[in-house]
Amino acid sequence: MSRVGTLRNVAIVLLIAAAVDFLPGGGRAADTFGAVLSVAFIAGMVYFVSRVYREQRITIYGLGDQRRAMLYGAVAVGVFALAAKQRMWLSGFGEFVWFVLLGLAGYTLYAIYRFSRTY
């Protein structure tokens, strides 16, 4: 990309940022756009997870009931910890528990992955 094109793109971004900052209602428009992007990202993640589940269904059911429950539980604990991060980080103990939960969920996922690769 040429320097003129790069400078033009930077100028466009700065112009949009100035419009959001100085025009009335610009902050609300930016918040709305951010919310739309968040919903689109979450929808993309749900689609990705559903595709992976469909493609790996035989492997997941081949884990057995106990390890499959551990897999689902680890994913649920991870999602809970990520969703509760803001509130858990209000205290030192909550922050410690947050790291422990994510560590346990990660280790469980790793152990299940290793088990799925053994014969």
Side-chain angles (χ1 to χ4, degrees):
M1 182 178 268
S2 68
R3 286 190 172 182
V4 174
T6 302
L7 288 174
R8 182 196 66 215
N9 292 342
V10 169
I12 290 171
V13 169
L14 290 175
L15 183 67
I16 292 171
V20 166
D21 193 34
F22 298 121
L23 290 178
R28 287 183 65 160
D31 290 341
T32 303
F33 184 70
V36 168
L37 281 179
S38 296
V39 168
F41 178 74
I42 291 171
M45 291 299 294
V46 167
Y47 177 73
F48 173 74
V49 168
S50 69
R51 289 286 305 195
V52 169
Y53 175 77
R54 281 188 226 145
E55 292 172 6
Q56 301 297 325
R57 189 178 317 176
I58 294 172
T59 304
I60 292 171
Y61 280 106
L63 291 173
D65 292 338
Q66 182 181 4
R67 286 191 176 81
R68 193 169 60 245
M70 288 171 57
L71 171 70
Y72 295 151
V75 169
V77 166
V79 168
F80 168 77
L82 291 175
K85 178 186 175 194
Q86 218 171 16
R87 293 187 85 183
M88 291 181 80
W89 278 40
L90 294 177
S91 68
F93 182 71
E95 190 173 343
F96 172 74
V97 170
W98 185 81
F99 278 110
V100 168
L101 287 175
L102 278 186
L104 288 174
Y107 178 74
T108 303
L109 291 174
Y110 175 70
I112 292 170
Y113 171 77
R114 285 196 55 201
F115 175 78
S116 72
R117 296 294 174 207
T118 59
Y119 296 105

